Amino acid sequence: MDGRGESLGTSPGAAVLPRAQADACDPAVLSRLAAGLGQGPFALVLLFVSPEADRAALEAALAGGAFGAAPVIGCTTAGEIAGAGYGEGTVVAVGLPASTFAAEVLPIDLDRIDGQEAIGRMIRARAATADRHPGWEGEFAFLMVDGLSIREDALTAALGPGLGPVPLFGGSAGDGLRFGETFVLWAGRFRRNAAVLAMVRTACRVRVFSLDHLVPTDRRMVVTGADPGRRIVHRINAEPAAREYARLLGKDPAQLTAFTFAAHPVVVRIGGRHHVRAIQRMAPNGDLVFFSAIDEGLVLTLAEPVDMADHLDAALTALGPDRPPAAILACDCLLRRMEAQEKQRYGAVSRILAAHGVAGFSTYGEQWNSIHVNQTMTGVALWPPEGGGP
């Protein structure tokens, strides 16, 4: 993408969920994004920011009122999703028009997660949007969290009791493939060890979803040695973790790479369905480092993928059996992007994302209701208000 940026005003769903995209290294990136979104007004602006961007320059532009009076939240990414599907080295802006959306933003300090306080704030935020727009029935909660904090599981568990009937989805901030530092944006600053929750009410019809393309096999293993606080598994089936995982795959441990972990994830059964516990990397000593909660005694099942592109197209189409959604805001795991690259399905998946009007980012993990998961796509599908809107 060149320095001029790109307005996506004619893309599918732009009337429901305006979005724009620009080169992360463009000195005028936020000005271009604001022009691409249009005049608004917006109840909320979301920014999905490549780690290549100059965060200090973005903070300065936000202090200068780049998006007017609209509140702005966001995070750094492991890749962006917008007009042409997958992208890298860009900043994506998504606007929630005030004509059809209301939002309350709740910042969270991950150093002190207070479940009761968070629940109270969530209840008050939901009541505030309902008071302003009692006739709007669509609701969802959108969460962004520091992807290297190792606090996502504790956070989603704490927030769960406060959701009531409101479905939640979200994503963990990324840092490309570096895994060095990740940031969440609120109140004009990029922050570490932080999260931000948006409680959203809308005149649009909504459907929050979580999908993956993985099928559990009959190959199981038990975690027999772990450090849950650091998400590290030392031993599986009483054997060194990486060696035993490789044996179950029929591979040499020296062959294990990030692409291997993306192509051969493990899942756990929770609440009647399987959820991925993705492996981030192999440590030099043969331990396995995971993206989400892990503990001794946990039974892991190897899963194998079906064709990602075919599954994604079918799953997104099935979101609206009467008519397809006009727009989708989504958090898509980095491991899915890596698998698409490894299996030469990257272009096909990108085209499907574009065709379905998906905007969002690639993550270090996803949140769905009260669970932190991996190797999924979570999101919200949106349809225009009945009768064409207020």
Side-chain angles (χ1 to χ4, degrees):
M1 178 178 299
D2 63 29
R4 295 172 306 198
E6 179 184 3
S7 170
L8 307 179
T10 59
S11 66
V16 171
L17 202 68
R19 73 286 304 268
Q21 187 175 21
D23 190 323
C25 297
D26 184 344
V29 58
L30 290 195
S31 297
R32 299 189 189 282
L33 292 174
L37 287 184
Q39 293 299 311
F42 296 105
L44 184 66
V45 173
L46 309 173
L47 292 181
F48 306 122
V49 180
S50 165
E52 306 301 326
D54 183 337
R55 293 186 301 276
L58 294 182
E59 289 177 346
L62 289 170
F67 296 98
V72 180
I73 61 175
C75 66
T76 55
T77 76
E80 303 77 56
I81 304 172
Y86 283 142
E88 293 186 46
T90 72
V91 179
V92 172
V94 177
L96 278 59
S99 58
T100 46
F101 290 89
E104 292 285 326
V105 174
L106 308 179
I108 300 167
D109 181 352
L110 296 179
D111 284 326
R112 53 176 199 89
I113 299 174
D114 185 329
Q116 290 304 311
E117 179 192 27
I119 290 168
R121 293 166 66 200
M122 293 166 70
I123 292 172
R124 291 191 294 273
R126 185 182 180 218
T129 59
D131 287 345
R132 295 202 300 272
H133 300 284
W136 292 1
E137 297 183 353
E139 292 182 276
F140 62 90
F142 177 50
L143 178 67
M144 288 177 284
V145 56
D146 182 339
L148 294 176
S149 65
I150 320 182
R151 298 288 283 161
E152 298 102 323
D153 299 281
L155 177 60
T156 51
L159 297 179
L163 289 172
V166 182
L168 177 146
F169 77 100
S172 301
D175 182 31
L177 294 173
R178 291 186 290 264
F179 298 97
E181 51 184 5
T182 54
F183 296 87
V184 170
L185 170 69
W186 59 269
R189 289 185 53 203
F190 287 91
R191 306 165 192 264
R192 299 180 69 174
N193 215 36
V196 62
L197 176 69
M199 302 292 291
V200 180
R201 183 174 292 268
T202 177
C204 298
R205 179 159 65 95
V206 306
R207 180 176 177 182
V208 171
F209 65 90
S210 175
L211 63 86
D212 67 67
H213 63 298
L214 304 168
V215 178
T217 69
D218 59 359
R219 288 173 288 173
R220 293 180 176 85
M221 64 194 87
V222 179
V223 177
T224 52
D227 180 347
R230 295 190 295 157
R231 298 177 176 170
I232 295 174
V233 171
H234 304 301
R235 302 184 77 81
I236 292 173
N237 297 340
E239 299 290 340
R243 189 173 73 191
E244 180 66 1
Y245 171 81
R247 184 190 69 81
L248 291 168
L249 292 180
K251 294 180 178 290
D252 186 302
Q255 296 177 302
L256 298 181
T257 67
F259 292 106
T260 308
F261 302 137
H264 303 281
V266 295
V267 299
V268 297
R269 190 168 180 83
I270 303 173
R273 63 177 288 178
H274 285 90
H275 298 278
V276 179
R277 288 291 182 265
I279 302 168
Q280 181 189 124
R281 58 186 172 86
M282 179 177 67
N285 65 354
D287 290 345
L288 293 177
V289 182
F290 280 69
F291 274 108
S292 54
I294 207 77
D295 205 350
E296 292 182 8
L298 197 64
V299 177
L300 305 175
T301 301
L302 276 172
E304 295 294 342
V306 298
D307 184 89
M308 182 189 296
D310 292 345
H311 179 273
L312 179 63
D313 194 28
L316 295 182
T317 299
L319 289 174
D322 54 341
R323 57 175 172 152
I328 295 173
L329 176 64
C331 304
D332 189 46
C333 188
L334 167 65
L335 295 174
R336 289 171 54 87
R337 181 184 287 237
M338 292 172 62
E339 182 186 337
Q341 290 175 319
E342 176 74 1
K343 296 185 175 178
Q344 300 183 358
R345 299 295 278 159
Y346 190 89
V349 172
S350 274
R351 289 189 291 272
I352 291 164
L353 293 170
H356 287 274
V358 178
F361 72 107
S362 292
T363 75
Y364 279 1
E366 304 77 58
Q367 292 79 50
W368 185 60
N369 294 327
S370 60
I371 301 175
H372 174 58
V373 293
N374 303 118
Q375 210 150 342
T376 67
M377 173 187 282
T378 62
V380 61
L382 297 151
W383 288 261
E386 297 298 330

